[in-house]
Amino acid sequence: MEKRLIYADAAATTRISPYVLEKMMPYLTEQFGNASAVHRIGRTARTAIEEARIHIASALSCKPDEIFFTGSGTESDNWALRGICTETGGRKNHIITSSVEHHAVLHTCRYLEKQGYRVTYLPVNSSGKINPDDLKKAITTETALVSIMYANNETGVIQPVSDIGQICKNHDIPFHTDAVQAVGYEKIDVNTRNISLLSVSGHKLHAPKGIGALFIRKDTPISNLLFGGAQENNMRPGTENTAAIVGLGAAFEKICSDHEEKTRYVENLRNRFEKNLSENKRISVNGACEKRIPGISSITVKNADGERILLMLDLKGICASAGSACTSGSSSPSHVLKAMGLSNQDALSSIRFSFDDNNTCEDIDYITENLINIIRKI
Ligand code: PLP
């Protein structure tokens, strides 16, 4: 009998959807043209890229020429922070972020600190949320940028993005948000939320790996990340990865058509998962009291070794992860859970399950049944 395989690690990456793959295929085969070329194969690629840009802009309620393709969510985050600092550096040298950001933001901040920037890392409460009053207090005349993520990749907790945007607008400070986990579930309007820059990543959305985008509001002071040709309005040069861009556009097209249905479906799965575990006194759900994106459930199993549980789950064909993908493989406790007040021991006893619309109720019941058995044994 074939071994059952259940993928519950959608926050780490997702499978390319059949719709996305179908849209990409021509650009991986006969439509191989360079989008900068004047001939017909080149023009076909150019048209496809601009259509993808329109799909993304329409999902975020911005203009197509405010969308810039990048190589990943990490690149988008790096560009937002370094680009703003390069442009405003000398006049302003202060950045505000949170202590629960993805390393794509945190490590960029560490780099900028070495370049002489001052960075304020806002604390979070025990549910993982920042307090907008702390943001107000941290702002100075030197503040060049506020970068606070939309939804956390370990807990799914959503930050008070509207309040943050309003505060930044009142102080005329650009607001960057890493929306890599939120896009697809949250209806994001960059105008009503006063967002100046927003990062997205393809592989979290059933598009391929190695493609991302950065929304940059018009007139935001930002420098190029790269130098070279004229692609992406001279800002992010390099021959476009047409197939991946088309894939990202197709993923956004799907988001526009089925976002509410998908959100409801995945939320049901997550609720079923947490309800199945609710009787077990050793298990607590991190960030459970806050508004979360629907796919993520971070649990702590009292007095257990998270990595050991993961390996035992893997033997049962269940794929989950310990905290973020970037920290798995190392046994250091998650900075996110520690910022929420968990002890080292509890942080190391935590596991992230993340679901998408490829999962079923049967998957959830199989996972929880095996998880409870494993916890009983250890
Ligand atoms: N930001 C968040 C919140 C993420 O979850 C991730 C990936 O896990 C990234 C940024 C990095 O995205 P990418 O893998 O496309 O570089």
Side-chain angles (χ1 to χ4, degrees):
M1 198 174 75
E2 205 177 305
K3 199 167 167 225
R4 193 162 180 178
L5 182 80
I6 295 179
Y7 186 72
D9 203 12
T13 197
T14 59
R15 173 196 291 249
I16 297 184
S17 75
Y19 181 77
V20 166
L21 188 61
E22 191 191 319
K23 292 278 181 178
M24 287 173 66
M25 277 315 275
Y27 302 95
L28 290 167
T29 50
E30 69 273 18
Q31 298 298 347
F32 58 87
N34 183 324
S36 300
V38 292
H39 52 65
R40 67 192 60 196
I41 311 186
R43 288 200 308 274
T44 305
R46 168 61 53 212
T47 304
I49 288 172
E50 296 318 318
E51 276 174 8
R53 212 186 298 279
I54 289 169
H55 287 311
I56 299 170
S58 125
L60 299 176
S61 303
C62 65
K63 300 187 193 80
D65 62 0
E66 293 175 313
I67 297 295
F68 295 81
F69 293 110
T70 64
S72 60
T74 300
E75 186 184 318
S76 300
D77 286 345
N78 269 258
W79 185 9
L81 272 74
R82 294 168 68 179
I84 293 281
C85 287
T86 306
E87 199 61 23
T88 52
R91 285 180 289 122
K92 295 186 171 193
N93 66 352
H94 178 223
I95 302 158
I96 302 174
T97 187
S98 83
S99 47
V100 295
E101 298 297 310
H102 189 272
H103 285 139
V105 167
L106 287 180
H107 289 176
T108 306
C109 286
R110 300 266 185 253
Y111 164 81
L112 289 166
E113 279 178 304
K114 287 198 190 121
Q115 307 301 307
Y117 288 86
R118 192 167 69 78
V119 182
T120 301
Y121 299 91
L122 297 178
V124 293
N125 65 14
S126 59
S127 298
K129 246 172 91 170
I130 70 136
N131 181 342
D133 287 337
D134 289 341
L135 171 61
K136 279 186 207 156
K137 284 182 212 146
I139 289 174
T140 75
T141 51
E142 302 291 297
T143 308
L145 176 71
V146 171
S147 178
I148 310 273
M149 70 199 322
Y150 209 111
N152 188 269
N153 46 300
E154 294 191 35
T155 61
V157 168
I158 297 174
Q159 294 295 347
V161 175
S162 295
D163 294 346
I164 298 167
Q166 191 57 52
I167 294 166
C168 291
K169 186 174 181 209
N170 294 346
H171 289 83
D172 201 16
I173 297 168
F175 168 35
H176 165 247
T177 189
D178 173 343
V180 163
Q181 295 288 345
V183 167
Y185 291 114
E186 283 292 290
K187 177 92 194 84
I188 302 178
D189 179 330
V190 291
N191 297 314
T192 56
R193 302 240 191 302
N194 294 301
I195 294 165
S196 320
L197 305 117
L198 180 142
S199 303
V200 306
S201 168
H203 71 105
K204 313 287 181 177
L205 300 169
H206 303 284
K209 294 162 185 63
I211 183 70
L214 181 65
F215 155 74
I216 308 176
R217 182 177 295 288
K218 250 201 175 21
D219 299 330
T220 303
I222 186 164
S223 66
N224 308 15
L225 185 62
L226 304 173
F227 297 90
Q231 293 92 347
E232 299 305 290
N233 205 12
N234 298 303
M235 299 287 279
R236 200 274 187 180
T239 302
E240 296 93 337
N241 184 348
T242 309
I245 290 173
V246 167
L248 186 64
F252 269 87
E253 195 188 343
K254 282 293 268 179
I255 287 170
C256 289
S257 68
D258 65 9
H259 139 270
E260 275 174 32
E261 193 189 334
K262 179 180 164 185
T263 299
R264 255 196 316 276
Y265 179 80
V266 178
E267 195 161 36
N268 272 337
L269 294 178
R270 203 244 347 249
N271 292 347
R272 185 181 184 106
F273 174 79
E274 293 181 357
K275 185 162 179 289
N276 285 358
L277 298 176
S278 62
E279 301 279 288
N280 194 307
K281 297 282 173 284
R282 284 178 71 188
I283 297 177
S284 53
V285 179
N286 299 305
C289 305
E290 292 298 339
K291 187 165 184 287
R292 289 175 289 160
I293 50 165
I296 299 182
S297 186
S298 161
I299 62 163
T300 299
V301 184
K302 209 75 193 150
N303 300 323
D305 174 354
E307 290 282 341
R308 189 162 164 226
I309 296 180
L310 280 181
L311 291 174
M312 292 172 83
L313 286 169
D314 191 36
L315 290 175
K316 295 285 176 191
I318 299 165
C319 309
S321 83
S324 71
C326 312
T327 49
S328 69
S330 75
S331 50
S332 51
S334 142
H335 68 282
V336 173
L337 299 178
K338 285 195 68 181
M340 292 164 68
L342 268 69
S343 64
N344 279 352
Q345 153 109 53
D346 281 349
L348 289 169
S349 307
S350 301
I351 306 169
R352 177 186 70 183
F353 293 87
S354 47
F355 312 109
D356 66 20
D357 50 354
N358 288 314
N359 290 117
T360 62
C361 291
E362 290 74 42
D363 290 351
I364 299 296
D365 295 346
Y366 180 81
I367 297 172
T368 51
E369 191 187 318
N370 279 285
L371 181 60
I372 289 167
N373 283 339
I374 289 169
I375 293 172
R376 211 175 281 139
K377 278 193 212 140
I378 57 174

